[in-house]
Structures are given as structure tokens and as C-alpha cells.
């Protein structure tokens, strides 16, 4: 099986879809000749041409708005927003237009746009290169929201996102681009070739949007997480030798409630971990879902480990980042309770 | 003959391996462009958006109506600040390469713009810089050590460790906060100028963005508001030809200049040789007078070249010829001013070397001072509670709890 890092896997997904479907195009800042600031679209313009892999002016509102128009006119655009922190100039087009077009036209007009955007911290990027704004998008009806945690998932889910007839916001945890980062910044970085999720088939495959994945299983505790935090949670559980169900949510909306329910009914304890800030974050939705679905199985209050409710700092990055220590402390507390 | 429609994809004239080619840059002869009265109508000066205001000719003489007539002392200040900006940048790029700071953005080749403009404005005028305007700070007399402390996120960092390097601000120096989000400063500068007008004060505002950033909607917002309210503001577009990997054609510069956007909104607009210290100074003084006398806002396009990488994360050899700067027809702003001063103002190579030495010492001395406030690897360090301060004026309970949680966790370690 070929080894790929997450950048190569995403590149492969776009390459395959550009080859399979003439309606697919890629548009974004620096995505064409240069191949993207993270090199995710490297070589795609050379192979598929300038009319299909298109450098854009620096205007996120323009990129999303134009992608909607292209989608309405029969294309299947993949719009790259260079950093999730820079998506806000396009927010009106996403939240008021892209998300609601199908509904307000009774299904007559639709725009199957995929918005790819790198998110998350751990790269010393400060408040304008580290944000995790997924919760702003899961609160908008009409959008699907995806965040993979391995190259294998990234490719299969991106292909599904492109094929999806509804708009998908596809978050790429940039700290995972080159390896399965487990939150320990003092350790030498490891490449994806050390992880089974780095084995990625060369050819087309897709993974369903709406299905979570159980990445580790155990009886004591359920951890709900996604993106970089999947690796942090796994490392934390291993260090504590806790037998935990670790569920990679993968597709935040639609949410795979059945997998969550099955697990929490088994373990009775639930920890929610995300990098995004805590207050009104996506974890609140997960928590509410668990209470509604599994109330009588719960043996302890649900706990959340999230980013602190401050802008992402530059100094104190590792104090801010919800790393293994905070996750382990929450795991221990959960097991001691109830 | 019929042709199927296809997208126009702007192409830079040269890519890696090609010979640099700047034929597309429209250049007027030094001294050739007329200087309208400050109170001229916008309609009467459309030509200023296609012409290029230049003062220094090929023999380094200052010629024509835009010559700002600066004396030798003023020129020496300008040269000193440009050289200091360049040496500061070079030092900080080196420190980034050595892992001492996480990131840096230099202004190599664009120093004349910030330095001449800061000199042409009043100290009480409010500046809304982009990330490539460190020359504004230096010209307003900022202690280099303080800029370095910001880049180190140390105990003397004016941002208290909360921002990436180069995102400076200077409240007392009337320089607003640099942010990573492009073009947001443009309408903010207009609003500041509107407030000055509402309050009846004669301070003006100025803002800077790159040509790439003109594509953002905030550019349009700013020009509309500036024109509607005739706000006392100078809006600067630094056209350094490149926006990371995309050349200026991708921001819409293929057919008309960026200055040409202004008249469409009813704003007086001038295209200037951004590497000509004298021309930048003159044009800025003209625009400042216009704004200060309540005649209206101005847009200035500075034609220059980004001689360095976009940032320390960038590798320009992937998208443009390596030797482009050497072929840039408007030369090096520092060398041009130096040559002018050597020919006409008693400057000399010897004086220049001595100045370089003096300023290099200032830079290295400032760095040592800055490091005494802490580095990324050695204390003193900021207090962790700084993480939670200033999110609000008064810390709400949930942040107090999170602050205590972190404190407990760190005490356990
Ligand atoms: C809203 C927003 N979108 C994208 C970016 C990423 N970005 C940072 S600088 C840059 C290029 C800007 O080019 P230009 O405006 O020409 O200024 P220059 O860097 O050449 O001085 C881009 C795309 C950003 N910082 N903010």
C-alpha cells in the first residue's frame, strides 16, 4: 500500500476527482502555479490546466461567491481558503447564500461547493494562523462539516465531499499534514509512514459522510474527539493505560449519533475533547446529544477539554493547546467520579 | 473569426528560469509629470493614475515640479532610517533562521515608502500599517529593542506574547496594530479620519496595504466611505508586484494601474515611483495637505518591488526568477538616495560606511538588550496569567476558572 502524508492524500483526492469529473475545478489563493502555500494542490494546474486549477485574487468573499455561481452553472468547485482564520470575509456568502440556496429555492438551485481550509494550531501561528472555527459552521443549517484525522480519511472524505450535492466545509488540521502529532511538541516529529492511517490507496475510494470511527475500544470511558485531538486522546489513554473507546467524530455534521450512543451506553463515562475554544463550542452539541441520548447510562458528569476561551496566543502555545496532560487529568477525574 | 470564450489567466512575464522582464511597468521620465494644485478637482488629474511621479533622474539629480526640496539634514535622516530599517530586517531574518524567533517579514526594497511617508506626515497623524511598514516605526523613533521584544514574545513585548512577530503597535507613537488579516486596516483608517473630522481636529490618517490586498472587499468599503464623507485619509497601495506567488495581474493590475481605481470613486489618486525617496515624500506631502485642508482623501499607488521572500515561510525561487530585483527598472531605493546625496549633498562612501557601522552596532546592541527580557528558550518569561488578561476589561468567571485551572496544572508539574 502506498504511504502518503495528509497533503499528498488530499492532493490525490483532488487529482482523481479532476480526472473523473470535468465539472470539478479548484480555485483559491496561490493554488495554481505555486501549488498552494502548504503544497496541497502541487502539480494539479500543470496536469489539469489553468482553466480548472485557478489562482484567485485575495478575496475570500469573491472566491466563495464565485464558487457558488460556478456551482449553480453546473460545476463542482473546490474552493481553498488559505487559512481558516481568513474565511470570515467569505462568511456571508457561506452562511447566508451557500448554505441556504437549496432551501430558499425549493431545491431548484443548488451549489455543490466544497470549501477546504487548514485549521488548528501547534505551528506558532498566533491568532491568525491557528483558529478552529468549526463551531461557527456547524451552527449554520445547510452545511456539512468534516474534519479528518488521518491521510486515509482525508482522501476518502474529501472525495465524498466533492461528490456531495450539498456544500461541505472541509477542515484540515494543519498540524497533522506531515505526521500524526499527539500533542507532545518536545518529542521529535514522526511521519505518517509510522501510522496505519498513512497507508492510502492510489486509486479512487470514498468514505461516507455521517459516519464516525472507533479508533480504539475499551470499556472504561468514551472519548469524543476529532482532528488533531484524536491523536492526543489516544496518546493520553495509552499513557494512563485506560481502556477507552476513542471515537473520531470525523464528520461533525451530519453527526453519527448511533456510534456515540452505543459507546456511552457501554462505558457510562464521556470525555469530549476539541482544540476549539470551549464556550458554545462544538463540544456543547456533543454533550447535549450524549445527555439526551444516554442520560440513564451516565455514571459521571460529562467533561470537556477544549481550548481556553481566549484568542490563540503566540507565547504559551503549549500551555494553551489542550495537550495530553489536560486530557489525562480529565480522564482520571472522570474515572474517579460517580 | 469567432473564438470560444475561455478564462483570462493572468501570467507574469517571467517564471523561474526565464529572464526577468519588466516591460509592462509604465515609467515616466523623472520630472516629467505635472504637479497639480493641491485643491484641484479629481476630474482634472486623471493622468496622475497612469503616469509615474519621479524626481530623481538617471544622473541622481532631483528634477521637476515634485522635487520636495529637502535639505541635507532631512535627507540624512531619511537615509539613516532607511538603512536602519534594512539592517534591522536583515538581523531579524537571520535570527529567524537561527530559530530565535518564529517568523519574520522583511521590507527589503520597499524602505523608501514607509520612511519618506512617516517624514512627510505629522507625528500626530494616525498610521494604520500593514506588516511590511516597520520603517514607519523606525522613522517615528521607535526603540528597536521594543520591536525586537515583540518578535521574541518576551516580558517586554507590547503585545504581551499574544501576537506573531511583526504584529507591532505603538499607542504613544500613533501607530495602530498590525494584524494578519488583510485590508481590515483600510476602512478602520477611514473611520479614524471620519472621527477626526467629526471632532473638528486636523489630524489625518494613513493606511497601507499591498496590491494583492486590494482585491478584498474592505478596499471597496474604504474608498466608498472615504469618498462619501471626504474623510481626511491617505490610502496607500504598495504595489510590490507580488502577492506571495501571484503577480500583480491577479489583483487586477493587468490593464489599469491600482491608482486608477481611485477616480472611479471620486478620490484623487497618484501613481508614484516607490523607490524614489524624494517622489514618495513629495506626493505624500501633497496628499497630506489636501486631506488636512479638508479638500478630500487621496489614494497613492507606490510602484516598487518585493526584493525578499514574502515571509520566512516562503520560497520565491519556486515562482519567480531569482535575479528579478537586479533587473527591476526602478532600482534600489537606498542606493538611489545615497547616490543623490553623494552627488549633491556632501555625502560620501566613507560616511556611508561609518553610518552602516554605527547602525549595525545599534541593531546588535538592541538585540542583546531585547534578549535580556527573555527569549523563546531562556527566561525571564511572561506570567501565564497574561494568557487570560485583556480578553475583556474585567475577567469573567469562566476565564477566572480557566486561569486557575492552568495555574494548578503548572504547579503540579
Ligand atoms: C484575509 C486574508 N486572506 C489571506 C491571507 C494570506 N496572505 C497573507 S499575505 C498574502 C499576500 C498579500 O500580498 P500583497 O497584498 O500584495 O502584500 P505584500 O505581501 O506583497 O506586501 C496573503 C494571501 C491573509 N493574511 N488575510
Amino acid at each position: 500500500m502506498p504511504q502518503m502524508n495528509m497533503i499528498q492524500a488530499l492532493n490525490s483526492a483532488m487529482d482523481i476527482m479532476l480526472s473523473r469529473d470535468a465539472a470539478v475545478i479548484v480555485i483559491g489563493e496561490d493554488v495554481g502555479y505555486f501549488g498552494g502555500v502548504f503544497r496541497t494542490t502541487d502539480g494539479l494546474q500543470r496536469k489539469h490546466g489553468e482553466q480548472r486549477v485557478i489562482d484567485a485574487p485575495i478575496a475570500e468573499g469573491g472566491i466563495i461567491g464565485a464558487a457558488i455561481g460556478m456551482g449553480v452553472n453546473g460545476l463542482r468547485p473546490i474552493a481553498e481558503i488559505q487559512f481558516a482564520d481568513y474565511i470570515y470575509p467569505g462568511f456571508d456568502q457561506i452562511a447566508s447564500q451557500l448554505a441556504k440556496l437549496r432551501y430558499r429555492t425549493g431545491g431548484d438551485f443548488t451549489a455543490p461547493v466544497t470549501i477546504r481550509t487548514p485549521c488548528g494550531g501547534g505551528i506558532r501561528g498566533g491568532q491568525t494562523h491557528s483558529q478552529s472555527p468549526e463551531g461557527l459552521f456547524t451552527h449554520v443549517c445547510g452545511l456539512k462539516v468534516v474534519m479528518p484525522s488521518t491521510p486515509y480519511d482525508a482522501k476518502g472524505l474529501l472525495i465524498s465531499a466533492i461528490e456531495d450535492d450539498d456544500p461541505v466545509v472541509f477542515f484540515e488540521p494543519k498540524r497533522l499534514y506531515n505526521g500524526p502529532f499527539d500533542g507532545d511538541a518536545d518529542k521529535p516529529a514522526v511521519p505518517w509512514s509510522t501510522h496505519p492511517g498513512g497507508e492510502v490507496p492510489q486509486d479512487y475510494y470514498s468514505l461516507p459522510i455521517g459516519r464516525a470511527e472507533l479508533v480504539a475500544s475499551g470499556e472504561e470511558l468514551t472519548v469524543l474527539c476529532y482532528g488533531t485531538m484524536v491523536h492526543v486522546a489516544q496518546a493520553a489513554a495509552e499513557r494512563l493505560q485506560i481502556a477507552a473507546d476513542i471515537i473520531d467524530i470525523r464528520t461533525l455534521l451530519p453527526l453519527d449519533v448511533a456510534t456515540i450512543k452505543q459507546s456511552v451506553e457501554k462505558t457510562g463515562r464521556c470525555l469530549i475533547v476539541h482544540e476549539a475554544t470551549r464556550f458554545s463550542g462544538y463540544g456543547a452539541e456533543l454533550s447535549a446529544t450524549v445527555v439526551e441520548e444516554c442520560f440513564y447510562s451516565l455514571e459521571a458528569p460529562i467533561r470537556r477539554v477544549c481550548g481556553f476561551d481566549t484568542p490563540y496566543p503566540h507565547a504559551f502555545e503549549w500551555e494553551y493547546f489542550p495537550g495530553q496532560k489536560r486530557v489525562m487529568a480529565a480522564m482520571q477525574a472522570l474515572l474517579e467520579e460517580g | 473569426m469567432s473564438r470560444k470564450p475561455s478564462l483570462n489567466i493572468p501570467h507574469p512575464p517571467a517564471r523561474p528560469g526565464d529572464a526577468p522582464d519588466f516591460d509592462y511597468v509604465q515609467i515616466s521620465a523623472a520630472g516629467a509629470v505635472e504637479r497639480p494644485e493641491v485643491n484641484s478637482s479629481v476630474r482634472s488629474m486623471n493622468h496622475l493614475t497612469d503616469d509615474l511621479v519621479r524626481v530623481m533622474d538617471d544622473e541622481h539629480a532631483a528634477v521637476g515640479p515634485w522635487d520636495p526640496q529637502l535639505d541635507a539634514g532631512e535627507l540624512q535622516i531619511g537615509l539613516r532610517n532607511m538603512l536602519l530599517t534594512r539592517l534591522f530586517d536583515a538581523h531579524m531574518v537571520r535570527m529567524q533562521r537561527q530559530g530565535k524567533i518564529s517568523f519574520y517579514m522583511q521590507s527589503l526594497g520597499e524602505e523608501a515608502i514607509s520612511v519618506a511617508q512617516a517624514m512627510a506626515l505629522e507625528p500626530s497623524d494616525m498610521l494604520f500599517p500593514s506588516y511590511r511598514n516597520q520603517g514607519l516605526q523606525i522613522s517615528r523613533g521607535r526603540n528597536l529593542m521594543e520591536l525586537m521584544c515583540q518578535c521574541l514574545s518576551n516580558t517586554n513585548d507590547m503585545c504581551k506574547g499574544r501576537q506573531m512577530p511583526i504584529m507591532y503597535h505603538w499607542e504613544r507613537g500613533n501607530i495602530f496594530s498590525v494584524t494578519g488579516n488583510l485590508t481590515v486596516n483600510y476602512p478602520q483608517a477611514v473611520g479614524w479620519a471620519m472621527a477626526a473630522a467629526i471632532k473638528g481636529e486636523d489630524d489625518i490618517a494613513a493606511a497601507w496595504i499591498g496590491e494583492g490586498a486590494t482585491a478584498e472587499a474592505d478596499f471597496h468599503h474604504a474608498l466608498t466611505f472615504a469618498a462619501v464623507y471626504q474623510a481626511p485619509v491617505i490610502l496607500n497601495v504598495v504595489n510590490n508586484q507580488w502577492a506571495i506567488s501571484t503577480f500583480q495581474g491577479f489583483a487586477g493590475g493587468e490593464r489599469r494601474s491600482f491608482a486608477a481605481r481611485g477616480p472611479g470613486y471620486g478620490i484623487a489618486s497618484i501613481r508614484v515611483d516607490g523607490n524614489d525617496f524624494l517622489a514618495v515624500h513629495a506626493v505624500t506631502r501633497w496628499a497630506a495637505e489636501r486631506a488636512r485642508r479638508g479638500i478630500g482623501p487621496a489614494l497613492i499607488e507606490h510602484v516598487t518591488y518585493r526584493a525578499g521572500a514574502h515571509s520566512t515561510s516562503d520560497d520565491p525561487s519556486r515562482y519567480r526568477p531569482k535575479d528579478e530585483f537586479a533587473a527591476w527598472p526602478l532600482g534600489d531605493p537606498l542606493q538611489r538616495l545615497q547616490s543623490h546625496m553623494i552627488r549633491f549633498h556632501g555625502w560620501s562612501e566613507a560616511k556611508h560606511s561609518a553610518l552602516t557601522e554605527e547602525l549595525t552596532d545599534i541593531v546588535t546592541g538592541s538585540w542583546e538588550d531585547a534578549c535580556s527580557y527573555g527569549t523563546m528558550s531562556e527566561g525571564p518569561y511572561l506570567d501565564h496569567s497574561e494568557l487570560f488578561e485583556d480578553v475583556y476589561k474585567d475577567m469573567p468567571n469562566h476565564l477566572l476558572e480557566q486561569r486557575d485551572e492552568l495555574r494548578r496544572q503548572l504547579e503540579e508539574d
Side-chain angles (χ1 to χ4, degrees):
Chain A
M1 184 82 82
Q3 300 284 343
M4 293 189 198
N5 64 29
M6 195 181 280
I7 293 169
Q8 293 162 330
L10 293 162
N11 184 284
S12 167
M14 288 187 275
D15 184 21
I16 287 168
M17 292 311 292
L18 282 159
S19 301
R20 281 168 73 105
D21 183 351
V24 172
I25 65 101
V26 174
I27 185 164
E29 295 159 16
D30 301 288
V31 302
Y33 182 88
F34 188 48
V37 295
F38 290 104
R39 327 244 18 99
T40 317
T41 54
D42 195 23
L44 296 181
Q45 185 182 74
R46 229 173 306 126
K47 182 165 172 190
H48 300 282
E50 290 180 326
Q51 302 278 317
R52 297 189 60 209
V53 181
I54 308 166
D55 278 314
I58 303 170
E60 294 73 17
I63 291 169
I64 307 292
I68 293 172
M70 292 176 188
V72 168
N73 197 4
L75 298 187
R76 211 166 259 283
I78 306 167
E80 175 179 306
I81 300 299
Q82 201 164 81
F83 286 88
D85 316 65
Y86 300 140
I87 204 165
Y88 308 117
F91 196 73
D92 187 42
Q93 288 285 355
I94 296 172
S96 320
Q97 304 304 314
L98 183 59
K100 301 185 171 81
L101 188 60
R102 179 187 296 281
Y103 190 76
R104 78 163 192 257
T105 63
D108 290 339
F109 285 106
T110 58
V113 174
T114 300
I115 299 170
R116 293 183 34 244
T117 191
C119 68
I123 62 153
R124 279 264 175 205
Q127 60 185 251
T128 51
H129 303 85
S130 309
Q131 293 172 32
S132 299
E134 64 273 10
L136 297 177
F137 296 87
T138 55
H139 200 58
V140 176
C141 318
L143 297 177
K144 296 183 177 177
V145 179
V146 175
M147 193 188 300
S149 70
T150 65
Y152 177 80
D153 284 2
K155 177 170 172 177
L157 287 168
L158 182 56
I159 286 178
S160 292
I162 297 165
E163 289 179 331
D164 203 298
D165 287 334
D166 283 316
V168 179
V169 184
F170 192 93
F171 287 101
E172 304 168 1
K174 63 178 96 68
R175 183 65 210 230
L176 297 183
Y177 273 158
N178 292 306
F181 177 65
D182 69 5
D184 185 349
D186 296 329
K187 239 174 35 191
V190 289
W192 275 112
S193 55
T194 63
H195 189 283
E199 287 180 14
V200 180
Q202 206 66 258
D203 297 336
Y204 172 96
Y205 65 93
S206 65
L207 296 172
I209 291 181
R211 203 78 56 75
E213 167 147 270
L214 191 65
V215 296
S217 66
E219 310 294 319
E220 294 179 80
L221 168 69
T222 299
V223 183
L224 306 180
C225 51
Y226 51 88
T228 308
M229 290 304 133
V230 173
H231 304 279
V232 176
Q234 270 183 291
E238 275 162 31
R239 274 174 70 179
L240 290 176
Q241 300 197 319
I242 288 175
D245 265 3
I246 296 182
I247 296 176
D248 179 355
I249 300 290
R250 293 200 302 197
T251 79
L252 281 58
L253 201 170
L255 174 62
D256 180 355
V257 177
T259 298
I260 295 173
K261 193 169 174 213
Q262 205 177 17
S263 172
V264 177
E265 281 175 352
K266 176 181 72 176
T267 64
R269 291 166 201 271
C270 179
L271 174 65
I272 295 164
V273 187
H274 61 55
E275 223 186 306
T277 52
R278 176 184 171 105
F279 199 96
S280 285
Y282 184 71
E285 179 61 37
L286 290 175
S287 175
T289 303
V290 171
V291 170
E292 285 162 0
E293 299 290 330
C294 320
F295 183 77
Y296 296 106
S297 311
L298 285 174
E299 291 164 30
I302 297 165
R303 281 183 175 254
R304 283 183 286 165
V305 174
C306 311
F308 293 127
D309 286 306
T310 77
Y312 205 104
H314 180 254
F316 303 131
E317 175 150 47
W318 299 116
E319 288 77 5
Y320 179 85
F321 188 91
Q324 290 178 26
K325 266 189 222 139
R326 276 168 67 197
V327 175
M328 288 192 303
M331 285 173 165
Q332 277 170 321
L334 249 179
L335 290 181
E336 285 160 14
E337 270 170 318
Chain B
M1 207 175 75
S2 76
R3 197 169 66 102
K4 272 208 194 153
S6 69
L7 289 190
N8 172 61
I9 304 293
H11 287 126
R15 285 295 195 186
D18 299 339
D21 177 2
F22 288 114
D23 275 358
Y24 70 89
V25 183
Q26 302 279 332
I27 299 174
S28 312
V33 180
E34 168 224 351
R35 181 181 186 276
E37 289 302 317
V38 164
N39 60 0
S40 305
S41 73
V42 174
R43 238 179 258 280
S44 69
M45 46 179 154
N46 277 341
H47 64 281
L48 289 180
T49 69
D50 289 326
D51 296 344
L52 188 68
V53 174
R54 305 177 70 218
V55 172
M56 283 186 273
D57 69 12
D58 295 344
E59 262 61 68
H60 312 299
V63 296
W66 287 96
D67 177 6
Q69 315 268 356
L70 299 175
D71 63 31
E74 290 171 306
L75 293 176
Q76 275 183 34
I77 293 172
L79 188 75
R80 181 186 176 92
N81 288 334
M82 279 166 73
L83 185 56
L84 187 53
T85 304
R86 186 166 291 188
L87 294 170
F88 168 68
D89 275 348
H91 182 83
M92 297 309 275
V93 168
R94 262 197 315 277
M95 292 305 99
Q96 196 279 338
R97 292 218 181 97
Q98 293 174 16
K100 304 268 170 57
I101 58 175
S102 62
F103 176 83
Y104 194 71
M105 295 177 98
Q106 58 174 327
S107 60
L108 183 66
E110 305 176 25
E111 297 93 342
I113 297 163
S114 294
V115 172
Q117 293 203 276
M119 282 180 71
L121 294 167
E122 297 298 326
S124 55
D125 292 337
M126 186 70 185
L127 313 182
F128 289 77
S130 91
Y131 45 71
R132 237 183 271 288
N133 291 119
Q134 41 273 52
L136 295 174
Q137 298 268 358
I138 288 172
S139 299
R140 283 203 166 172
R142 189 78 190 261
N143 187 335
L144 285 191
M145 181 267 289
E146 292 183 9
L147 301 180
M148 291 166 164
C149 286
Q150 193 282 330
C151 293
L152 285 161
S153 278
N154 70 16
T155 56
N156 191 40
D157 166 13
M158 86 259 337
C159 303
K160 301 182 183 169
R162 299 183 189 133
Q163 280 274 52
M164 279 175 89
I166 62 109
M167 308 275 181
Y168 320 112
H169 62 269
W170 193 16
E171 207 244 331
R172 272 182 305 111
N174 297 315
I175 303 184
F176 195 60
S177 155
V178 176
T179 169
N181 310 76
L182 294 171
T183 329
V184 293
N185 56 332
Y186 242 46
Q188 293 165 357
V190 175
W192 194 98
M194 288 167 62
I198 290 168
K199 296 193 290 178
E201 293 165 358
D202 66 0
D203 298 321
I204 67 171
W208 288 260
I209 56 171
E211 86 292 342
T214 62
E216 293 284 1
D218 274 339
F219 178 77
H220 169 76
H221 301 152
L223 268 69
T224 302
F225 277 62
V228 167
Y229 298 109
Q230 292 289 286
V233 63
I234 302 176
L235 298 169
N236 295 287
V237 174
V238 179
N239 179 2
N240 63 13
Q241 314 306 316
W242 289 95
I244 311 184
S245 75
T246 55
F247 91 116
Q248 53 101 30
F250 265 102
E254 273 189 311
R255 284 165 202 85
R256 290 302 302 276
S257 71
F258 291 92
R261 311 252 171 113
Y265 292 84
I267 294 178
S269 304
I270 308 183
R271 186 166 169 266
V272 64
D273 175 348
N275 290 10
D276 181 332
F277 179 88
L278 301 179
V280 172
H281 191 285
V283 159
T284 305
R285 213 158 56 181
W286 182 94
E289 190 186 335
R290 191 176 166 91
R292 212 178 304 281
R293 282 171 51 189
I295 300 161
L299 175 73
I300 303 175
E301 174 185 353
H302 305 263
V303 180
T304 183
Y305 183 79
R306 194 195 79 210
H310 170 73
S311 73
T312 50
S313 310
D314 178 42
D315 174 10
S317 70
R318 283 177 174 274
Y319 53 78
R320 66 182 193 184
K322 279 206 166 86
D323 47 352
E324 258 193 356
F325 184 43
W328 175 242
L330 302 176
D332 175 335
L334 188 57
Q335 271 174 20
R336 282 174 70 191
L337 183 62
Q338 186 191 345
S339 304
H340 170 73
M341 288 169 60
I342 289 175
R343 238 197 104 189
F344 297 98
H345 296 279
W347 196 244
S348 67
E349 293 289 354
K351 285 182 185 168
H352 201 80
S353 311
L355 179 64
T356 307
E357 226 170 278
E358 180 204 332
L359 298 181
T360 304
D361 286 347
I362 291 179
V363 171
T364 45
S366 303
W367 177 255
E368 280 166 26
D369 292 348
C371 290
S372 71
Y373 290 97
T375 66
M376 277 168 40
S377 54
E378 272 175 59
Y381 295 107
L382 285 163
D383 192 87
H384 290 101
S385 62
E386 283 298 354
L387 230 169
F388 301 92
E389 299 287 344
D390 296 323
V391 183
Y392 301 92
K393 184 159 172 276
D394 300 313
M395 203 181 293
N397 278 341
H398 71 289
L399 281 182
L400 287 168
E401 280 164 22
Q402 292 177 15
R403 185 194 64 186
D404 293 346
E405 180 194 334
L406 178 62
R407 187 177 293 157
R408 275 196 306 275
Q409 181 199 313
L410 293 169
E411 277 164 9
E412 278 167 26
D413 292 347

